[in-house]
C-alpha cells in the first residue's frame, strides 16, 4: 500500500451500465485535481458537505458529461481526508474517461480497500469496524445486514474495549502489588480478581462460540434436506425455492449429487442442500453422491428429515446431532396419506411439520418454522455475534492465557507471571480492533475489498 500523501481515485459503484456512477477521489490534492477537469463553481471555494452541478471537460475542452460533485473536507469525510465524489451518468465510456482524466491530472487508481484502509489509518474506524463495512456490502439478508451494521457502528469494538479496560485494571492492580510488595499491601483481594478473570474468560468463550451461528447467518443458514430415496426431497426443495431446481422422478436414486439453492425467507438467507437419498447401493456414482450428502449433513445447521406419509416405515431419522444442529421432521405426501402413523415413529425431532410438496399445503408453516429457528441463532437482542473467522481465531488465541491467569489467581501465583499472561490476552484481543497489527494482516484484510471501497 502506497503512502497516504498520494491522491487516489476509483469508481465506487458496481461495474456496468446504470443510471448513475460515482467516481471517488481522496487525498491531499483531491479538490484541486477535481477542479482541473471541472467546469462550474470552483470546488476549492466550496464548503464541506456541499453539492454542486457542473460539467466534466476533457483536455481539449470537450464536454464529457454533466455531473454533480459532492465535496467533503478533512477530517469530516469517510477517509478522514479531502474527498470529492463525482456523480456521472452510468455510461461505461463516461466512467472510464473520467477516471483517465483524473489519472492524467495526478490521481492514481486506488488499490483494493484503500479508501477504507485510509479511514482506518486516520482513526475514522478501527479494524473490526472496517471489516463490518465489507460485511455490510456483502450482506444478503436483513439479519446479516443488522449484524454488519452493529459491527460497523462499533458494537463489537465497544464490547472489546470494555474487556480491554477490565484486563488493564487487573494487570495494573497486580503490578501495583509488586511495586509495594515489601510493604505487604494488597490493592484487591485475589478472590475478587479471580471472579473478574472468570467473567472475562466466560465472555471470550461466548463470543468465540457465537461464530458458528454468526457465520451461518452471514453466509446463508445451511439447511440439508435428508431422507431415504423417493420420499420427495427434491420436490420439497422445488416447493421451497419456487422453481423446478431439482429433477423429480419416481426412480430411486435420481438425485446423485448435491443440489444447492439460496433464497431469502423473512429476514434470513437460507442455503438449501438437496442430498442424495441415503441407502445401500453398488452404483459407484450414487455412492459418491451419498458420501457428499453425509458431509453436507455434518455441516448443516438445520436438517429437514423428509418422511413419506404413505410409507412411514421406510424413514431413517438422523440421530447423531451436534449441539448446534436443529432437526425438523417433515411429513410429506399428506395429499396421499394420513400423517398419523408417521408421527408415532418420530424420535428426536424438535418440530413436526406436515406438508404436501405437490399441492404446497403446509409449505408456509415450514418456512415459518425455519424463521423461528434462525431467529434463535441470534440469541438475545443485545448479544454481540462474531461472524469473522479472524476474530474467532483471535478469541481462541486469548483463551489459553486467560485460563493461566485464572489458575494463577487460584493457586496464588506471583503477580508478575499473572500480569504477563494478562498482557498476552490484551495482545490477542488487540489484533481484532487493530490496536495490535502488522502490515501483512492489513494487506490481507483490505485486499478482499472492492477497488472503490
Amino acid at each position: 500500500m502506497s503512502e497516504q500523501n498520494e491522491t487516489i481515485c476509483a469508481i465506487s459503484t458496481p461495474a456496468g451500465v446504470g443510471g448513475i456512477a460515482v467516481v471517488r477521489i481522496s487525498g491531499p490534492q483531491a479538490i484541486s485535481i477535481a477542479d482541473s477537469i471541472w467546469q462550474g463553481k470552483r470546488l476549492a471555494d466550496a464548503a464541506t458537505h456541499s453539492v454542486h452541478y457542473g460539467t466534466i471537460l476533457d483536455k481539449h475542452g470537450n464536454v464529457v458529461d454533466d455531473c454533480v460533485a459532492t465535496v467533503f473536507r478533512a477530517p469530516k469525510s469517510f477517509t478522514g481526508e479531502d474527498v470529492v465524489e463525482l456523480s456521472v451518468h452510468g455510461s461505461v465510456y463516461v466512467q472510464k474517461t473520467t477516471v483517465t482524466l483524473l489519472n492524467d491530472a495526478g490521481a492514481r487508481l486506488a488499490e483494493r480497500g484503500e479508501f477504507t484502509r485510509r479511514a482506518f489509518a486516520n482513526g475514522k474506524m478501527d479494524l473490526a469496524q472496517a471489516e463490518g463495512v465489507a460485511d455490510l456490502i456483502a450482506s444478503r439478508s436483513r439479519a446479516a445486514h443488522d449484524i454488519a451494521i452493529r459491527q460497523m457502528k462499533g458494537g463489537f469494538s465497544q464490547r472489546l474495549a470494555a474487556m480491554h479496560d477490565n484486563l488493564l485494571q487487573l494487570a495494573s492492580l497486580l503490578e501495583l502489588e509488586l511495586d509495594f510488595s515489601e510493604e505487604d499491601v494488597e490493592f484487591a483481594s485475589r478472590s475478587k480478581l479471580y471472579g473478574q478473570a472468570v467473567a472475562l474468560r466466560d465472555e471470550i468463550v461466548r463470543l468465540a462460540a457465537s461464530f458458528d451461528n454468526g457465520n451461518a447467518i452471514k453466509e446463508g443458514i445451511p439447511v440439508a434436506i435428508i431422507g431415504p430415496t423417493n420420499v420427495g426431497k427434491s420436490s420439497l426443495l422445488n416447493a421451497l425455492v419456487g422453481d423446478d431446481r431439482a429433477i423429480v422422478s419416481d426412480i430411486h436414486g435420481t438425485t446423485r449429487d448435491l443440489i444447492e439453492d439460496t433464497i431469502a425467507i423473512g429476514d434470513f438467507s437460507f442455503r438449501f442442500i438437496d442430498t442424495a437419498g441415503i441407502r445401500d447401493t453398488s452404483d459407484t456414482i450414487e455412492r459418491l453422491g451419498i458420501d457428499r450428502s453425509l458431509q453436507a449433513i455434518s455441516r448443516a445447521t438445520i436438517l429437514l428429515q423428509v418422511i413419506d406419509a404413505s410409507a412411514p416405515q421406510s424413514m431413517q431419522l438422523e440421530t447423531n446431532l451436534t449441539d448446534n444442529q436443529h432437526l425438523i421432521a417433515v411429513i410429506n405426501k399428506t395429499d396421499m396419506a394420513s400423517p398419523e402413523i408417521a408421527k408415532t415413529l418420530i424420535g428426536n425431532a424438535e418440530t413436526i411439520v406436515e406438508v404436501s410438496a405437490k399441492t404446497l399445503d403446509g409449505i408456509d408453516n415450514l418456512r415459518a418454522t425455519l424463521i423461528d429457528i434462525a431467529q434463535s441463532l441470534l440469541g438475545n437482542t443485545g448479544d454481540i455475534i462474531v461472524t469473522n473467522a479472524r476474530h474467532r481465531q483471535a478469541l481462541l488465541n486469548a483463551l489459553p492465557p486467560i485460563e493461566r491467569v485464572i489458575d494463577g489467581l487460584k493457586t496464588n501465583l506471583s503477580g508478575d507471571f499473572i500480569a504477563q499472561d494478562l498482557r498476552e490476552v490484551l495482545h490477542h484481543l488487540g489484533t481484532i480492533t487493530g490496536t495490535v497489527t502488522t502490515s501483512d494482516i492489513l494487506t490481507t484484510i483490505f485486499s478482499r475489498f472492492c477497488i472503490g471501497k
Side-chain angles (χ1 to χ4, degrees):
M1 199 72 72
S2 301
E3 296 294 329
Q4 283 189 238
N5 57 11
E6 295 180 307
T7 297
I8 58 174
C9 69
I11 299 168
S12 290
T13 40
V17 178
I20 294 292
V22 175
V23 180
R24 176 180 286 170
I25 316 156
S26 181
Q29 305 302 317
I31 295 175
S32 61
I33 289 174
D35 258 332
S36 70
I37 68 168
W38 172 262
Q39 186 179 66
K41 177 176 179 177
R42 190 167 176 264
L43 300 179
D45 299 329
T48 186
H49 292 73
S50 60
V51 181
H52 309 275
Y53 174 77
T55 304
I56 294 176
L57 303 177
D58 65 17
K59 60 183 67 177
H60 304 295
N62 299 315
V63 174
V64 175
D65 194 19
D66 288 342
C67 170
V68 171
T70 308
V71 177
F72 304 91
R73 292 186 177 274
K76 296 181 178 181
S77 70
F78 175 74
T79 62
E81 305 171 329
D82 285 345
V83 172
V84 178
E85 292 184 350
L86 301 175
S87 298
V88 300
H89 289 99
S91 155
V92 172
Y93 170 77
V94 169
Q95 295 179 57
K96 290 183 176 180
T97 301
T98 302
V99 170
T100 299
L101 290 171
L102 292 170
N103 292 159
D104 291 344
R108 68 167 173 81
L109 188 64
E111 299 174 17
R112 285 183 173 273
E114 190 168 2
F115 291 100
T116 308
R117 180 163 180 169
R118 290 188 175 203
F120 165 70
N122 291 323
K124 303 298 290 186
M125 62 180 67
D126 63 33
L127 204 52
Q129 289 175 286
E131 289 169 298
V133 172
D135 288 348
L136 178 63
I137 294 170
S139 62
R140 293 178 289 181
S141 67
R142 179 174 178 175
H145 164 273
D146 290 350
I147 293 172
I149 280 286
R150 190 179 303 177
Q151 182 174 328
M152 189 182 74
K153 293 296 185 182
F156 185 30
S157 300
Q158 290 168 13
R159 185 70 59 88
L160 289 169
M163 294 168 65
H164 179 274
D165 290 345
N166 288 336
L167 286 163
L168 274 182
Q169 183 184 28
L170 285 173
S172 299
L173 289 170
L174 288 168
E175 289 172 359
L176 272 174
E177 283 189 7
L178 291 173
D179 291 339
F180 291 88
S181 58
E182 293 182 0
E183 281 108 30
D184 194 26
V185 177
E186 183 179 70
F187 288 88
S189 69
R190 283 294 176 108
S191 61
K192 183 179 179 180
L193 296 178
Y194 175 83
Q196 290 177 299
V198 168
L200 284 166
R201 188 271 314 277
D202 291 347
E203 177 71 349
I204 291 172
V205 169
R206 191 201 70 76
L207 287 171
S210 72
F211 173 76
D212 287 340
N213 290 343
N215 189 59
I217 293 169
K218 174 183 172 182
E219 301 294 338
I221 301 168
V223 182
I225 305 175
I226 64 175
T229 59
N230 214 30
V231 293
K233 298 189 300 299
S234 297
S235 296
L236 182 64
L237 172 64
N238 291 337
L240 284 166
V241 303
D243 191 15
D244 292 335
R245 183 72 176 82
I247 299 173
V248 177
S249 169
D250 291 332
I251 301 172
H252 288 272
T254 301
T255 302
R256 297 192 170 202
D257 204 350
L258 303 181
I259 299 174
E260 294 192 23
D261 211 341
T262 300
I263 61 169
I265 302 177
D267 292 342
F268 300 90
S269 178
F270 294 88
R271 183 159 47 87
F272 289 99
I273 308 162
D274 180 17
T275 64
I278 299 173
R279 63 170 182 161
D280 293 329
T281 179
S282 58
D283 188 305
T284 302
I285 301 300
E286 187 180 355
R287 181 69 248 172
L288 288 172
I290 291 171
D291 289 341
R292 292 184 181 182
S293 296
L294 293 172
Q295 293 174 13
I297 289 170
S298 68
R299 296 192 300 267
T301 300
I302 301 174
L303 303 178
L304 299 184
Q305 173 73 51
V306 185
I307 301 157
D308 186 345
S310 64
Q313 291 81 0
S314 66
M315 69 184 183
Q316 300 170 3
L317 278 176
E318 177 64 36
T319 56
N320 298 321
L321 300 177
T322 67
D323 292 338
N324 293 323
Q325 287 185 312
H326 304 264
L327 177 63
I328 302 174
V330 182
I331 303 177
N332 190 26
K333 303 186 183 181
T334 54
D335 58 308
M336 298 173 58
S338 169
E340 297 309 314
I341 296 177
K343 287 182 183 179
T344 65
L345 300 174
I346 291 171
N348 62 341
E350 291 180 31
T351 309
I352 301 172
V353 181
E354 302 168 22
V355 305
S356 167
K358 182 177 180 180
T359 66
L360 303 185
D361 286 342
I363 294 299
D364 285 342
N365 289 337
L366 179 54
R367 290 193 180 108
T369 301
L370 290 168
I371 291 173
D372 288 343
I373 292 176
Q375 191 67 45
S376 72
L377 302 181
L378 289 173
N380 297 323
T381 305
D383 282 349
I384 298 296
I385 297 179
V386 174
T387 61
N388 188 298
R390 188 184 71 83
H391 300 170
R392 174 179 177 267
Q393 188 57 54
L395 291 164
L396 292 177
N397 291 341
L399 277 177
I402 194 64
E403 292 287 5
R404 292 196 298 270
V405 168
I406 292 171
D407 290 342
L409 290 168
K410 188 175 182 180
T411 59
N412 211 26
L413 187 68
S414 174
D416 52 348
F417 292 112
I418 299 174
Q420 182 177 340
D421 288 327
L422 283 170
R423 296 291 177 187
E424 186 178 343
V425 179
L426 284 165
H427 169 84
H428 292 304
L429 297 183
T431 63
I432 297 176
T433 56
T435 55
V436 177
T437 190
T438 67
S439 178
D440 288 343
I441 290 176
L442 295 179
T443 299
T444 299
I445 290 171
F446 290 109
S447 66
R448 296 171 184 156
F449 283 61
C450 59
I451 295 292
K453 198 62 181 177

